[in-house]
Amino acid sequence: MTFRKYLVLAGVTFFGSVGDSLLAHGMKQVGSISPSHLSTAVFAVLNPWVAVGILFLLGFFASYLSALSWADLTYVLPATSLGYVIVTLIAKFGLHEQVSSMRWLGILLITAGVGFVTRGPELTPPKEDATQIAPESVSTVVER
């Protein structure tokens, strides 16, 4: 995998983690939003933390689309799940959330899983379908 592809995966991880954290911080300031009063969700976007969080999540989405254009979903999603670790660290030390030992254990398992997934190929070759006939074999049959 090229350095550029590593950079795209890092972008997915960074933009997603920071964007989610900024949204969480902003929404704590905005307060609860009820599904029956969705107009408050529109006003939540005016909170600067929410607005910047949305911009970071747009960066996440652009990076994610790029990664999916050259790698399998089953590679990209686990490879970028390091973002869960980063989000938890930001939540613990930046947002001062309580993180239980079970959550830390889950983060450890995620980190171990990322190691397994990144050892495999980023894109698996498509299986050849036995029902598809190569164009040159069709012309050979017609000529006979």
Side-chain angles (χ1 to χ4, degrees), residues 14-97:
F14 171 76
F15 287 122
S17 301
V18 173
D20 286 340
S21 300
L22 291 170
L23 276 181
H25 181 72
M27 290 311 296
K28 284 183 181 12
Q29 292 178 350
V30 170
S32 179
I33 294 179
S34 169
S36 60
H37 296 98
L38 290 180
S39 60
T40 54
V42 173
F43 290 112
V45 175
L46 299 177
N47 178 291
W49 295 100
V50 173
V52 173
I54 290 170
L55 290 176
F56 270 84
L57 290 174
L58 286 172
F60 157 81
F61 190 64
S63 302
Y64 196 59
L65 287 174
S66 175
L68 289 174
S69 72
W70 49 261
D72 290 338
L73 176 63
T74 55
Y75 180 84
V76 173
L77 196 59
T80 59
S81 65
L82 187 60
Y84 294 121
V85 177
I86 296 169
V87 165
T88 305
L89 291 171
I90 292 172
K92 171 78 175 157
F93 299 108
L95 301 176
H96 307 292
E97 293 183 5

